[in-house]
Amino acid sequence: MENGFFITFEGADGSGKTTQLNNIKTFLQEKGFDVVTTFEPGATKTGEKIRNILLHSEDSVADSCEMFLFLADRAQHVEMFIKPALKQGKIVLCDRHTDSTIAYQGYGRGQNVELLKKLNQIAVNGLSPDLTLLFDVSTEIAQDRVGKDKDRMEAAGIEFHKKVRNGYLELLKENPERIKLINANNSIETVYNETKDIILNLVTNKRGKTNA
Ligand code: TYD
């Protein structure tokens, strides 16, 4: 459908995925690719307001409200930012997307996973990542990296975050073609080299096919 390439970065808070995303952006740009980075929640003007509620609400947020807000942010982001960028042929590197909702709201909060998959389909309206990188890290290491200054989601507790990690690993089993596992317990440099190889391989293959 689109000409660009859509890559999502997934994993726990404290998995180091954002650092990797930024390094990969620089690497791909140096190779001459047209790359943009983005994130969920909060990359659009409307999304910024949603993000503020999600991460910094002063009163408690009902689980179903949280779920709809993440999905609403995604719907806006996909239509207003991701699809237009892909139509222009860009490589879009996105920090979190549909799998975050399954892992956090589904496995973490206990919302119905099958229903969430359907709601995700409405939010993305036909879009699907060409590749998802799952930065898997032990929950203890991840929580240490996050430190003491936590937002509402980060402060949800170790049991919650263990369920989230388990959710991601279930998604990996279900989608072995799309999702690639990266051991994010390793050093930033080791993780970077692994990430770079996977992405370069896929992007080069796809460009090769397009030009053939
Ligand atoms: P953010 O500061 O963007 O964290 P990170 O750098 O870890 O991506 O915060 C986003 C938080 O929202 C993070 O704790 C994961 C959570 N989240 C969900 O629970 N569901 C979702 O669908 C998305 C996109 C994020």
Side-chain angles (χ1 to χ4, degrees), residues 11-14 17-18 39-41 51 55 66 70 74 95-98 100-101 104-105 151 153-154 160-161:
D13 302 80
K17 64 185 168 41
T18 309
F39 60 95
E40 294 182 4
R51 178 183 173 91
L55 300 187
E66 178 185 289
F70 278 116
R74 179 160 309 125
D95 197 341
R96 298 195 179 283
H97 191 61
T98 44
S100 284
T101 306
Y104 281 77
Q105 280 63 55
D151 64 38
M153 298 303 295
E154 287 164 347
F160 172 80
H161 286 283

Side-chain angles (χ1 to χ4, degrees), residues 124-140:
V124 301
N125 195 14
L127 179 71
S128 156
D130 295 291
L131 168 69
T132 297
L133 298 167
L134 172 56
F135 293 85
D136 180 56
V137 63
S138 92
T139 306
E140 288 76 12

Side-chain angles (χ1 to χ4, degrees), residues 45-80:
K45 280 267 172 224
T46 298
E48 250 178 67
K49 294 178 187 154
I50 298 175
R51 178 183 173 91
N52 197 32
I53 301 172
L54 279 165
L55 300 187
H56 307 294
S57 178
E58 279 157 25
D59 57 352
S60 49
V61 177
D63 287 352
S64 52
C65 174
E66 178 185 289
M67 170 190 85
F68 282 120
L69 289 176
F70 278 116
L71 289 160
D73 170 76
R74 179 160 309 125
Q76 181 74 359
H77 187 213
V78 166
E79 292 308 323
M80 299 300 163

Side-chain angles (χ1 to χ4, degrees), residues 88-180:
Q88 290 168 21
K90 293 182 197 294
I91 296 178
V92 178
L93 305 181
C94 187
D95 197 341
R96 298 195 179 283
H97 191 61
T98 44
D99 299 317
S100 284
T101 306
I102 306 296
Y104 281 77
Q105 280 63 55
Y107 287 88
R109 298 284 193 221
Q111 299 283 342
N112 182 306
V113 167
E114 292 313 309
L115 185 57
L116 278 179
K117 287 180 184 168
K118 294 202 174 108
L119 292 169
N120 258 335
Q121 279 174 11
I122 297 176
V124 301
N125 195 14
L127 179 71
S128 156
D130 295 291
L131 168 69
T132 297
L133 298 167
L134 172 56
F135 293 85
D136 180 56
V137 63
S138 92
T139 306
E140 288 76 12
I141 293 179
Q143 290 284 296
D144 269 3
R145 287 185 189 160
V146 169
K148 288 207 169 68
D149 189 15
K150 294 182 166 66
D151 64 38
R152 201 180 64 83
M153 298 303 295
E154 287 164 347
I158 192 132
E159 285 315 312
F160 172 80
H161 286 283
K162 283 190 172 161
K163 288 187 210 159
V164 170
R165 182 184 184 198
N166 173 50
Y168 273 127
L169 294 174
E170 286 298 319
L171 283 165
L172 174 71
K173 275 190 223 154
E174 284 171 25
N175 303 276
E177 289 300 311
R178 171 174 67 86
I179 304 181
K180 303 293 169 210

